[in-house]
Amino acid sequence: MSQAARITTITLLFLSFKSFALPGNLGAGGQLSAGATSLPHATTSLAHNPALLARALDGQTLGINGFGLPAIALELGDFKEDFVDRLDQLEEQIEIAEDENRPYAERRAAAEKVDDELSPLMQDMARAARVNLDLSMALPGLPLVSQGLGGHFAVNAEAAASLSARVLNSRTEATFDDISQTVNIDDDTAVYVRSAEIFDVAFAYSRSLGTFQLARLNGELSLGARLHLMQGKLSRQVMRVDDDGEEEEDTAFDRAGDNYDANSETANALGLDLGVGFIGKNFSMGLNLRNLVPPEFSFGDLGRDCATKPEPQRSDCEATAYYTDPDPATGYGAEAIPAREDYTLPLQAVLELSYTLGESGLSVLASHELNALEGINGGAYQWSHVGLAYSGPWWLPSLRLGYRQNLADEGMGVICLGLNLFRFLSIEAFQATEKGEFDGEEYPRSAGVSIGLTRRF
């Protein structure tokens, strides 16, 4: 199966809600437009603080999800317009070097210019050439939350996938062949792919500890816990770009699909979240400790048993030596990656707050992750969110507008918009404020969308 076909298959499989997500551009669960804030009328809030399960029901006895389209987020690297200009200039130099009507000295000088400038250009492009794809879902009808057992409980079965691809390049050489009078280019450009598929079955329970006064606020204090039973399948691959295999259309991404299972590692893990919440008449606040028991997974090893593999898989396997065993003296293999790598979801503390302005139905929302987590793509994510939400009579649309900022890594910010119709249909989307540029055309660095159905009884 080709990598493109695999991505399409995963996308079709993930046509549902987005309550759970790996650290990435979707955020760790919940509604895209509300950050990590638990909201009434939103069973997708169940991915947040387990102590605030009652918040999702808002006085009702049962809440379930129905069916939805995927929650998908895409992030692209930041190309610059001068990449195209620099490539065009080098192509002109190659044409000069191979023009038999020009003097030999001029042709040799053009070839040397290509050799001097091509490697830096390829390395700059490699740093920008990346794509991250995040998807998440819950099984139809889930999550489910209800009153019972002296408090509130929830059951959920969810899946998430994350895929990242980036270009590696440590060396590109251009030489002038005096016999053939052509410029020969030799480089080690490769595509590095990391991916994960994680299935999570979660059981949550919360219980009220009674009414208390916090400063001048009166409210109900509650505690909650969520147990995760998880299975993860993680894979990494390095594929040479210039090794096309037996068929012309057998590209690096085709070989990534062929080698996906061979390079994957499957493991089971347990996770535990604990939360405390305080709910009053017009407000709620909480602290959620995610991954108090950190789930741990491993990627498949790279560069193992290369001699036993058929071509071109053997060439891909051997090429990993360029990047897993760099030469510090020459700088060759500077884009080093580990031959063996584990992935852990460490402890993360999350604060959330919502306050409703009187009887207006207008609420102020805020959530903040106190530390960063690493995503499958290798980037760090620590989201902080502020926003407004309006919820009136059932026949009026509920609206949410927010801004999320990643306080780690590149510090990308996104504008979020959400709409609920009849407290049943939810449509949400976000787009990054940062723009990339390629060949004079701008594009948003990140974007995402989700559509789902929910119902309370």
Side-chain angles (χ1 to χ4, degrees):
M1 178 186 292
S2 70
Q3 188 69 7
R6 180 171 292 277
I7 293 174
T8 301
T9 300
I10 293 174
T11 302
L12 293 175
L13 288 174
F14 282 38
L15 297 180
S16 194
F17 297 100
K18 75 291 182 185
S19 296
F20 170 73
L22 292 165
N25 289 290
L26 285 174
Q31 298 193 354
L32 301 183
S33 58
T37 308
S38 303
L39 292 177
H41 322 304
T43 52
T44 48
S45 297
L46 297 176
H48 301 321
N49 193 335
L52 297 176
L53 293 179
R55 185 77 168 145
L57 284 181
D58 195 32
Q60 301 298 310
T61 58
L62 177 65
I64 61 173
N65 270 333
F67 179 79
L69 294 175
I72 302 177
L74 181 67
E75 180 184 355
L76 301 174
D78 184 12
F79 281 92
K80 298 298 183 186
E81 184 178 3
D82 63 347
F83 285 164
V84 177
D85 295 337
R86 290 162 66 184
L87 279 174
D88 289 342
Q89 293 169 7
L90 289 178
E91 286 179 0
E92 292 176 2
Q93 294 299 315
I94 292 175
E95 291 176 359
I96 293 173
E98 296 180 347
D99 186 351
E100 297 179 358
N101 296 320
R102 292 179 179 270
Y104 177 81
E106 182 181 353
R107 296 166 65 191
R108 169 68 71 174
E112 291 176 351
K113 184 177 180 63
V114 173
D115 186 43
D116 291 339
E117 298 183 6
L118 184 57
S119 186
L121 172 60
M122 292 298 295
Q123 291 177 23
D124 288 344
M125 291 186 66
R127 281 187 283 271
R130 66 179 186 275
V131 57
N132 301 325
L133 177 67
D134 298 303
L135 308 99
S136 61
M137 65 164 284
L139 295 185
L142 297 177
L144 178 149
V145 59
S146 178
Q147 296 184 26
L149 305 176
H152 291 82
F153 67 91
V155 179
N156 203 9
E158 307 169 292
S162 183
L163 181 146
S164 70
R166 64 185 177 97
V167 175
L168 303 174
N169 180 279
S170 295
R171 175 188 61 89
T172 301
E173 295 179 351
T175 57
F176 185 69
D177 189 327
D178 289 312
I179 298 176
S180 64
Q181 303 289 293
T182 58
V183 176
N184 297 325
I185 296 176
D186 178 31
D187 77 331
D188 60 13
T189 300
V191 177
Y192 178 42
V193 177
R194 291 162 53 112
S195 60
E197 302 170 32
I198 293 183
F199 186 72
D200 175 30
V201 178
F203 305 92
Y205 178 76
S206 68
R207 189 178 186 119
S208 172
L209 300 182
T211 301
F212 293 86
Q213 185 173 10
L214 179 63
R216 295 183 179 182
L217 300 175
N218 293 315
E220 194 170 353
L221 182 67
S222 61
L223 294 178
R226 180 185 295 108
L227 177 66
H228 298 272
L229 307 177
M230 308 174 74
Q231 182 179 81
K233 183 178 182 181
L234 279 64
S235 179
R236 296 187 303 152
Q237 299 168 70
V238 175
M239 293 80 60
R240 293 180 63 94
V241 171
D242 63 351
D243 229 333
D244 286 339
E246 297 179 0
E247 301 180 8
E248 267 186 46
E249 64 271 16
D250 189 11
T251 66
F253 283 99
D254 291 320
R255 300 199 305 278
D258 296 337
N259 295 333
Y260 177 81
D261 290 328
N263 292 348
S264 66
E265 188 96 4
T266 301
N268 299 319
L270 290 175
L272 179 65
D273 305 337
L274 293 179
V276 57
F278 191 63
I279 305 174
K281 180 180 179 181
N282 292 324
F283 69 91
S284 69
M285 61 182 69
L287 170 66
N288 185 19
L289 300 178
R290 298 173 179 157
N291 310 317
L292 194 64
V293 175
E296 297 182 2
F297 305 95
S298 295
F299 286 98
D301 294 346
L302 293 176
R304 293 179 58 184
D305 303 322
C306 295
T308 64
K309 301 181 183 296
E311 289 291 355
Q313 288 83 2
R314 182 188 304 173
S315 179
D316 290 336
C317 184
E318 292 171 348
T320 62
Y322 300 154
Y323 301 103
T324 58
D325 187 19
D327 184 347
T330 63
Y332 185 67
E335 294 284 341
I337 56 177
R340 179 168 183 79
E341 186 176 3
D342 297 325
Y343 181 71
T344 302
L345 290 169
L347 174 66
Q348 184 183 53
V350 186
L351 294 172
E352 66 167 279
L353 171 68
S354 67
Y355 180 79
T356 302
L357 304 176
E359 303 298 327
S360 66
L362 183 65
S363 300
V364 179
L365 313 175
S367 63
H368 176 63
E369 298 173 353
L370 296 180
N371 59 295
L373 297 183
E374 180 186 355
I376 292 297
N377 57 23
Y381 294 92
Q382 182 184 359
W383 292 107
S384 187
H385 176 274
V386 293
L388 296 173
Y390 171 76
S391 179
W394 68 270
W395 45 271
L396 281 180
S398 296
L399 299 173
R400 294 177 298 278
L401 177 65
Y403 176 79
R404 264 194 306 144
Q405 178 79 39
N406 183 9
L407 303 181
D409 204 44
E410 296 184 53
M412 187 176 297
V414 299
I415 296 175
C416 317
L417 180 65
L419 171 69
N420 277 73
L421 297 176
F422 310 114
R423 296 182 181 173
F424 181 68
L425 173 65
S426 176
I427 304 173
E428 300 186 280
F430 71 82
Q431 178 176 301
T433 56
E434 286 81 357
K435 302 287 186 179
E437 186 175 310
F438 182 76
D439 198 16
E441 298 292 331
E442 286 190 338
Y443 57 88
R445 290 283 309 282
S446 179
V449 65
S450 177
I451 301 175
L453 306 177
T454 184
R455 182 63 177 168
R456 296 180 307 139
F457 298 95

